[in-house]
Amino acid sequence: MASQESLLVRQYLMTAKASQTAGTDIEIARQGLESFSSLTPVAPDIIVEKTKIEDIPAEWVIAPNAVEDRVFLYLHGGAYIMGSCNTHRYLASKLSQSTAARVLVPEYRLAPENPFPAAIEDAVKVYRWLISSGIAPDNIIIGGDSAGGGLTLATLLSLKGEDEALPALAVLLSPWTDLEGTGESMETRADVDPWLSPDATRAIPTLYTRDLDLSHPLVSPIYADLSGLPSMLVHVGNDEILLSDSARLVDRAREAGVEVTFKVWDDMWHVFQTFAIPEGQQAVDEIGEFVQKHFNY
């Protein structure tokens, strides 16, 4: 049964969803996400360090128990058009604590000002910087939510294509893996999803892709050759229109020989882990267990 806290958040999201339109101004959407995220501040014992990786702004988020040489490269969501260190600092702090890793959140370039492949180029650049800084690939976790989940896969595919050593693990939260919006949950979950709407979700991708085919494997990774990717954890809400994006990704990853831990969370919505609700904390704890089992600490 859903917690009382989650029911209150769901009600809030449904009210906001009712006012959504496909043509919402991008700057208004960006400001709205920034304002909403400020409602969940990080704990006082979390260290936050601003940095810059070449020309890319970024932020280290470090819990007291974080291991120095273990890094979680986290790629924030936001439909490739919004999101920042600010919007994902709370989640990053929780992930640092649960995984005992230093979390690095880069502010990759956003569309429409910087369309495909700018975000991928930035994510790859940050990963290579970590390696050049002395962090071993075996000590790196890569992950992200929504568009950040899709970007995580695109980054891994790009690195694989260059025969580069891949991170140890991937963590995907409600990953956006089909920008064509062909999953059946786009229709079957439309009424129960308290946050996302099919029309708005299908209207956004071309801001990022422009004239590129939406089935391009670096845009919609469900069409990619996923063989050789690291073990991954995939979480998705049962009540979200992107449920099929995760389910089909998991099926194709397993068919390609990738080890996948997959969980569908009852009564939950898109990237519920970003909210200060009991279910969000439980999911973060399970991410920590997944990582700690791999590193055996």
Side-chain angles (χ1 to χ4, degrees):
M1 181 179 295
S3 68
Q4 186 63 36
E5 293 91 337
S6 73
L7 293 175
L8 290 172
V9 172
R10 175 184 287 270
Q11 184 177 23
Y12 173 86
L13 292 173
M14 290 181 68
T15 300
K17 177 183 176 181
S19 63
Q20 281 186 21
T21 64
T24 298
D25 180 88
I26 292 174
E27 285 305 318
I28 292 176
R30 288 172 176 171
Q31 292 168 14
L33 185 59
E34 293 283 334
S35 297
F36 184 69
S37 301
S38 67
L39 300 176
T40 49
V42 302
D45 61 350
I46 299 294
I47 296 173
V48 177
E49 297 178 350
K50 295 285 187 181
T51 188
K52 184 165 281 193
I53 298 169
E54 297 186 27
D55 56 342
I56 304 169
E59 186 173 276
W60 286 105
V61 182
I62 307 169
N65 64 320
V67 178
E68 178 67 21
D69 64 352
R70 187 162 297 127
V71 173
F72 192 153
L73 173 54
Y74 194 84
L75 305 173
H76 69 76
Y80 295 104
I81 63 171
M82 55 187 169
S84 66
C85 293
N86 292 335
T87 62
H88 284 68
R89 189 174 296 121
Y90 171 79
L91 178 57
S93 72
K94 291 293 184 179
L95 290 172
S96 179
Q97 184 178 46
S98 72
T99 64
R102 296 188 296 146
V103 177
L104 179 63
V105 184
E107 291 191 343
Y108 56 85
R109 287 170 291 168
L110 300 176
E113 298 90 341
N114 300 282
F116 175 93
I120 302 172
E121 292 171 346
D122 288 356
V124 168
K125 182 184 292 186
V126 172
Y127 178 76
R128 288 173 175 162
W129 176 84
L130 283 172
I131 301 302
S132 69
S133 300
I135 304 298
D138 288 347
N139 283 336
I140 298 176
I141 310 140
I142 189 170
D145 61 279
S146 194
L151 179 56
T152 294
L153 291 165
T155 302
L156 290 170
L157 292 166
S158 297
L159 293 168
K160 185 181 80 165
E162 296 293 329
D163 294 320
E164 298 188 42
L166 300 182
L169 300 170
V171 175
L172 309 174
L173 309 180
S174 300
W176 195 19
T177 66
D178 173 18
L179 271 62
E180 290 184 297
T182 63
E184 68 172 15
S185 59
M186 291 288 284
E187 313 305 332
T188 62
R189 297 299 193 274
D191 291 337
V192 296
D193 190 321
W195 197 357
L196 305 181
S197 69
D199 288 346
T201 301
R202 288 181 173 132
I204 290 173
T206 54
L207 294 173
Y208 173 57
T209 61
R210 293 190 176 176
D211 297 328
L212 189 68
D213 186 343
L214 291 177
S215 65
H216 190 291
L218 293 183
V219 167
S220 295
I222 58 166
Y223 299 115
D225 173 9
L226 303 174
S227 62
L229 296 192
S231 297
M232 60 180 68
L233 171 69
V234 181
H235 280 183
V236 68
N238 190 58
D239 291 356
E240 62 172 292
I241 60 173
L242 296 188
L243 172 61
S244 295
D245 283 46
S246 287
R248 289 179 295 161
L249 170 74
V250 168
D251 287 344
R252 295 176 190 190
R254 286 173 172 165
E255 289 170 1
V258 179
E259 181 181 351
V260 184
T261 300
F262 182 40
K263 182 165 181 177
V264 179
W265 289 79
D266 290 340
D267 303 314
M268 290 294 106
W269 55 85
H270 190 60
V271 200
F272 66 93
Q273 297 88 347
T274 61
F275 297 87
I277 56 176
E279 294 88 347
Q281 184 61 56
Q282 183 184 346
V284 167
D285 290 343
E286 291 192 12
I287 294 168
E289 291 169 6
F290 171 77
V291 171
Q292 292 183 37
K293 180 180 179 180
H294 174 85
F295 289 112
N296 194 27
Y297 63 86

